[in-house]
Amino acid sequence: MSAGDPGDRLARAFARARAEGRPALLPFFPVCWPERDATQEIVRAAVEGGADAIEFGFPFSDPLADGVTNQRAYEEAIANGATLERLFAASADLRAQDVRVPFLIMGYFNPLLAYGAGRFVRDAAEAGIDGLIVVDLPPEEAAEFQALARAAGLHVVYLLAPTSTDERIARVARAASGFIYCVSVAGVTGLRAELPPALPELIGRVRARTDVPLVVGFGISAARHVREVGRIADGAAVGSAFVEVIREAPRERRAERVREFVRGIAGRDPAAPGAD
């Protein structure tokens, strides 16, 4: 595989965060947004700010799990001409610049199916992608795709929610690779003032069945949320709040704002935006 060993990159990211006594931070934003050529600059700035991994959102016209912030960004990215080819080109370019943090693609199955599952996993691996978070692909329907992905050295990350039954948690735990994405709420992505009080119960139910790292997402909007997550899980995915920072920043100051936000929400810079 031309992009190195993806499994090691993801495992190392969690191991490093664990050794430092903090949760790994995984910012999410759509590729080809706000401009078609903005992806590389945003990733470099996020990594400079302390991001442990990057989730590339691949735009889809019917993102059922996403709230209005991400839906709007997806629509604009589609209008910009977002394609999987452009995502792979951006990833390969970043790898050529020696950006070493794990890259994950987060999206929906329909565009992957249209691209061709075998072609998709091959091109993703060659571009330096480490894992795939396919929101609407449950493990019961994923055997063929998961086999292709794992043969290419890619993790397939499944989601669990507060409504997940013990049977579903056990099934996901058996299939888990890389980490399990624990959705904090029974709802869509978006900014939230507080994390749900039932979140520790969900994490406890999942942790009882697996030692795979657990990442919490949906509603992680401030440094205090990341600290709360760090007490019970291994990582925090920051989506809508990160997307809003990118949207509101003037392009000439975008890299600076992204670095400041990531430092702040990770708790590395108490004076930075996002640190509260």
Side-chain angles (χ1 to χ4, degrees):
M1 190 181 304
S2 62
D5 185 341
D8 282 352
R9 274 196 293 260
L10 198 54
R12 283 196 300 269
F14 284 112
R16 182 172 57 251
R18 191 178 305 115
E20 294 174 2
R22 60 177 180 81
L25 189 69
L26 295 79
F28 160 98
F29 73 103
V31 295
C32 298
W33 180 86
E35 302 86 25
R36 182 188 292 181
D37 62 348
T39 303
Q40 291 95 322
E41 177 191 43
I42 293 169
V43 170
R44 287 192 298 269
V47 172
E48 289 165 4
D52 294 288
I54 299 292
E55 294 180 3
F56 292 120
F58 183 69
F60 180 49
S61 59
D62 194 19
L64 296 178
D66 286 281
V68 63
T69 297
N70 290 348
Q71 286 183 18
R72 182 181 171 197
Y74 272 180
E75 289 172 358
E76 292 165 352
I78 290 170
N80 288 344
T83 64
L84 283 168
E85 289 89 349
R86 290 191 171 110
L87 188 163
F88 296 144
S91 176
D93 181 57
L94 288 159
R95 292 303 186 206
Q97 297 174 45
D98 205 30
V99 177
R100 299 183 181 182
V101 302
F103 294 158
L104 299 112
I105 297 175
M106 186 169 188
Y108 297 81
F109 192 61
N110 188 274
L112 279 59
L113 186 63
Y115 191 85
R119 177 187 172 208
F120 172 81
V121 298
R122 182 191 67 237
D123 291 354
E126 290 179 354
I129 299 296
D130 299 277
L132 312 168
I133 308 170
V134 188
V135 177
D136 55 351
L137 183 65
E140 295 90 340
E141 300 174 11
E144 182 179 355
F145 180 74
Q146 180 172 289
L148 289 169
R150 290 189 175 176
L154 299 173
H155 294 291
V156 178
V157 175
Y158 295 105
L159 288 79
L160 289 170
T163 52
S164 295
T165 64
D166 290 343
E167 180 183 6
R168 167 50 61 90
I169 292 172
R171 182 186 291 269
V172 167
R174 289 193 297 270
S177 176
F179 63 90
I180 294 173
Y181 194 116
C182 297
V183 177
S184 69
V185 295
V188 298
T189 62
L191 300 172
R192 290 177 173 84
E194 302 295 338
L195 295 181
L199 179 60
E201 179 187 0
L202 169 64
I203 299 302
R205 291 169 61 212
V206 181
R207 178 56 70 213
R209 291 166 174 82
T210 183
D211 293 327
V212 171
L214 307 182
V215 172
V216 176
F218 287 42
I220 308 297
S221 309
R224 68 179 184 277
H225 297 160
V226 175
R227 289 194 298 271
E228 289 178 41
V229 165
R231 288 193 280 269
I232 56 175
D234 304 281
V238 182
S240 296
F242 189 59
V243 169
E244 285 291 342
V245 167
I246 295 168
R247 176 181 296 284
E248 294 173 3
R251 184 161 194 184
E252 65 274 13
R253 298 196 62 194
R254 183 184 296 151
E256 174 190 351
R257 296 280 175 84
V258 166
R259 283 190 295 269
E260 289 176 349
F261 175 80
V262 173
R263 282 198 299 267
I265 202 165
R268 294 184 176 93
D269 183 357
D276 59 3

